[in-house]
């Protein structure tokens, strides 16, 4: 995503909450938007995360503009391409917008995709050099089309249509990435933002070496603006390799067991919460993370000097359950080496699995979370997952009427819905999945929460 200060639109209609763009417009029967200068369509890809906490309709939907010829996305003379999320058939479709006429449907997506009270969507659109378009929603290909009518349009953004004030605050957007297909797959893998010495760690999740000097670091200021990009030092990050970056490598190496630590002018990271971005030479975002104290192990007495580690490099960066406090057994951080906290999800298509059968949420790096993972045959299933104790009392609501992508996971850190650590003992995970055809699968899986003696 380009510099946030370059975004333009209906300013009063938007706010930032937990690092996500959120709607904030209470006017009835309204349209509002936000846009920025991006790239023309040929050889390009667009990706974004969105959450709509309502059933879409012909009066309540979102148009995600990929490339348009005007900054004002409500201008009747605008031309370009957009993805409509919602409308009468609750679908996700690709359209071409011509001035003064009804949009032209290019890709007709599946009906009923957004007919849920909570809709979680990861959308990806690609346009190759031959102007062949592909639309994907939650890893499912909705269709293909060929169109080169508007080859020079460069504005992207989101336009919202809402009927009543009750829809205000129910649109969320995050992880907006625009660039060419085959982009570098560098991810933020660990961060220490509250310590005597701070660092960030990158991991190369791709198949090709990456030149670090082609990347820059950007942090959001407390006033909402962004710092100037700070270039990473020269060097190469090989596939499967880690690298940590700090302003004081000597201090970091003395405090933690570390390797592959580089010195750079890392801007001071804000405590409690903040936003960081890894960008390329064009200013496009490679990866972004909104971090906060809420992502740490909830019962930790202090998080000062404790890093946040990514659990799964293949899961979304901003998935809160994809982060955990570094283990006490490694000294609370692992700069430049393999994380102490990692997940080993079981990928069995059509199945929901629970691992391990016994877990101990004590932050020792061994079975600190219970992993509920799934791999489905397609998108569109809705999940309810609850955890009960042996007496049948509800302890934790993992998710309720949650629209699932085809593959993913949830974690339980052993705390109840009031954020207290549950007692040691036997628990049961009840899961129910309703697929798009109306068929229901149910699971009842036993789970033991164990504690060390004197813990």
């Amino acid at each position: 995503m380009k510099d946030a200060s370059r975004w333009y639109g209906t300013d009063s209609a938007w706010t930032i909450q937990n690092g996500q763009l959120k709607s904030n417009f209470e006017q009835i029967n309204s349209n509002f938007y936000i846009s920025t200068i991006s790239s023309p369509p040929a050889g390009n890809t667009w990706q974004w995360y969105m959450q709509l906490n309502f059933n879409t309709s012909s009066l309540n939907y979102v148009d995600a503009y990929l490339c348009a010829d005007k900054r004002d996305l409500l201008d009747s003379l605008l031309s370009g391409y957009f993805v409509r999320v919602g409308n009468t058939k609750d679908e996700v479709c690709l359209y071409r917008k011509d001035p003064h006429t009804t949009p032209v449907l290019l890709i007709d997506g599946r009906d009923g995709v957004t007919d849920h009270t909570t809709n979680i969507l990861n959308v990806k659109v690609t346009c190759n050099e031959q102007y062949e378009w592909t639309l994907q929603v939650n890893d499912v290909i909705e269709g293909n089309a060929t169109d080169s009518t508007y080859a020079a349009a460069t504005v992207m953004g989101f336009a919202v249509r809402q009927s009543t004030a009750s829809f205000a605050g129910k649109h969320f957007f995050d992880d907006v990435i625009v660039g060419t297909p085959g982009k570098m797959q560098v991810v933020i893998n660990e961060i220490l933002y509250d310590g005597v010495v701070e660092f960030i760690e990158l991991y190369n999740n791709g198949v090709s070496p990456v030149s670090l000097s082609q990347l820059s670091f950007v942090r959001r200021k407390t006033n909402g603006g962004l710092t100037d990009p700070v270039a990473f030092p020269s060097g190469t990050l090989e596939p499967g390799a880690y690298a940590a970056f700090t302003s004081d490598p000597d201090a970091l190496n003395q405090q933690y067991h570390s390797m592959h630590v580089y010195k750079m002018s890392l801007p001071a990271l804000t405590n409690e919460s903040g936003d960081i971005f890894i960008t390329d030479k064009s200013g496009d975002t490679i990866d972004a993370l909104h971090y906060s104290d809420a992502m740490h192990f909830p019962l930790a007495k202090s998080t000062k000097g404790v890093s946040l580690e990514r659990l799964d490099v293949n899961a979304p960066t901003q998935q809160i359950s994809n982060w955990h406090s570094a283990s006490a057994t490694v000294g609370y951080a692992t700069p430049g080496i393999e994380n102490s906290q990692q997940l080993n999800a079981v990928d069995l298509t059509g199945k929901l699995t629970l691992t391990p059968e016994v877990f101990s949420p004590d932050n020792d790096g061994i079975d600190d979370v219970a992993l509920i993972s799934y791999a489905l045959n397609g998108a569109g299933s809705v999940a309810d997952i609850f955890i009960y104790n042996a007496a049948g009392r509800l302890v934790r609501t993992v998710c309720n009427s949650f629209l699932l992508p085809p593959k993913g996971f949830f974690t339980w850190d052993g705390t109840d819905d009031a954020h207290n650590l549950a007692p040691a003992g036997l628990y049961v995970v009840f899961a129910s999945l309703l697929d798009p055809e109306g068929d229901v699968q149910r699971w009842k899986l036993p789970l033991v929460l164990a504690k060390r003696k004197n813990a």
Side-chain angles (χ1 to χ4, degrees):
M1 185 170 65
K2 295 286 188 179
D3 185 331
S5 63
R6 301 175 190 170
W7 289 82
Y8 167 93
T10 318
D11 293 344
S12 60
W14 305 97
T15 186
I16 300 294
Q17 178 177 301
N18 296 326
Q20 295 182 327
L21 179 68
K22 177 184 178 183
S23 66
N24 188 40
F25 204 50
E26 297 186 355
Q27 183 174 323
I28 64 173
N29 194 28
S30 59
N31 296 272
F32 53 95
Y33 74 97
I34 188 170
S35 68
T36 189
I37 301 298
S38 182
S39 308
N44 212 351
T45 183
W46 300 260
Q47 300 179 71
W48 68 91
Y49 163 96
M50 65 191 302
Q51 178 173 335
L52 305 179
N53 291 338
F54 57 90
N55 293 70
T56 60
S57 69
S58 60
L59 296 178
N60 295 282
Y61 56 84
V62 174
D63 287 343
Y65 276 87
L66 310 172
C67 42
D69 65 346
K70 299 183 185 301
R71 293 292 299 268
D72 184 352
L73 300 182
L74 305 182
D75 193 319
S76 63
L77 295 177
L78 176 146
S79 59
Y81 302 94
F82 69 92
V83 172
R84 177 159 293 174
V85 180
N87 212 343
T88 305
K89 296 182 179 180
D90 301 309
E91 56 194 354
V92 181
C93 302
L94 176 67
Y95 288 86
R96 188 186 74 229
K97 172 67 171 65
D98 302 321
H100 290 310
T101 63
T102 302
V104 178
L105 179 63
L106 299 179
I107 297 177
D108 187 5
R110 295 164 294 146
D111 296 350
V113 170
T114 58
D115 186 20
H116 307 282
T117 55
T118 301
N119 297 284
I120 306 291
L121 304 171
N122 287 286
V123 183
K124 180 179 181 181
V125 182
T126 59
C127 178
N128 65 21
E129 298 291 346
Q130 289 72 44
Y131 294 92
E132 296 169 342
W133 298 78
T134 301
L135 171 63
Q136 292 179 251
V137 179
N138 292 339
D139 295 327
V140 175
I141 296 179
E142 301 290 335
N144 305 92
T146 301
D147 193 288
S148 59
T149 307
Y150 302 112
T154 59
V155 175
M156 66 95 42
F158 302 100
V160 173
R161 172 74 176 100
Q162 71 179 25
S163 60
T164 68
S166 64
F167 289 90
K170 295 185 177 182
H171 312 77
F172 299 84
F173 304 89
D174 203 352
D175 293 339
V176 181
I177 301 176
V178 182
T180 58
K183 231 172 162 46
M184 293 179 289
Q185 296 186 52
V186 175
V187 299
I188 300 166
N189 198 56
E190 187 174 0
I191 178 173
L192 176 57
Y193 58 86
D194 184 6
V196 177
V197 57
E198 300 174 339
F199 74 88
I200 61 167
E201 178 187 88
L202 301 183
Y203 175 77
N204 185 349
N205 197 33
V207 297
S208 302
V210 172
S211 174
L212 290 171
S213 62
Q214 301 299 307
L215 305 178
S216 296
F217 174 85
V218 178
R219 175 181 66 80
R220 191 179 302 282
K221 302 176 183 177
T222 55
N223 64 5
L226 299 178
T227 62
D228 292 332
V230 177
F232 283 88
S234 60
T236 300
L237 189 62
E238 298 291 339
Y242 305 84
F245 303 88
T246 180
S247 58
D248 193 341
D250 291 338
L252 187 67
N253 290 330
Q254 289 176 8
Q255 186 166 351
Y256 303 102
H257 174 57
S258 59
M259 293 179 64
H260 311 298
V261 176
Y262 293 78
K263 181 178 177 63
M264 70 176 291
S265 300
L266 186 69
L269 303 175
T270 56
N271 293 341
E272 298 183 357
S273 66
D275 298 283
I276 61 174
F277 307 85
I278 309 300
T279 63
D280 63 14
K281 284 292 188 180
S282 300
D284 292 326
T285 297
I286 301 297
D287 199 15
L289 171 66
H290 171 76
Y291 63 84
S292 73
D293 287 349
M295 298 162 74
H296 275 289
F297 180 55
L299 300 180
K301 295 180 180 178
S302 173
T303 58
K304 189 173 183 63
V306 181
S307 73
L308 278 173
E309 293 182 325
R310 189 183 187 121
L311 298 179
D312 186 347
V313 294
N314 296 309
T317 299
Q318 204 47 61
Q319 181 177 329
I320 293 178
S321 61
N322 197 26
W323 294 87
H324 197 282
S325 304
S327 168
T329 59
V330 297
Y332 297 107
T334 55
I337 59 178
E338 186 178 60
N339 289 350
S340 64
Q341 304 282 9
Q342 296 189 60
L343 297 180
N344 295 306
V346 178
D347 186 3
L348 299 174
T349 302
K351 298 292 185 181
L352 182 144
T353 58
L354 174 64
T355 56
E357 296 180 352
V358 179
F359 81 115
S360 53
D362 51 20
N363 205 37
D364 66 351
I366 303 174
D367 297 334
D368 283 330
V369 298
L371 173 65
I372 305 166
S373 57
Y374 64 89
L376 308 177
N377 293 317
S381 292
V382 177
D384 296 311
I385 304 177
F386 305 98
I387 299 174
Y388 292 84
N389 63 15
R393 182 177 67 85
L394 178 63
V395 174
R396 182 67 177 266
T397 300
V398 177
C399 69
N400 190 4
S401 298
F402 191 91
L403 181 63
L404 300 174
K407 180 181 178 181
F409 66 86
F410 299 91
T411 60
W412 185 39
D413 58 15
T415 59
D416 60 22
D417 283 333
H419 306 293
N420 300 311
L421 182 62
L426 176 65
Y427 293 82
V428 179
V429 177
F430 284 91
S432 174
L433 267 62
L434 173 67
D435 69 20
E437 285 71 42
D439 296 325
V440 178
Q441 296 184 74
R442 294 184 175 88
W443 290 265
K444 181 179 179 182
L445 305 173
L447 175 65
V448 174
L449 190 161
K451 294 184 180 180
R452 295 177 299 177
K453 291 183 178 180
N454 303 320

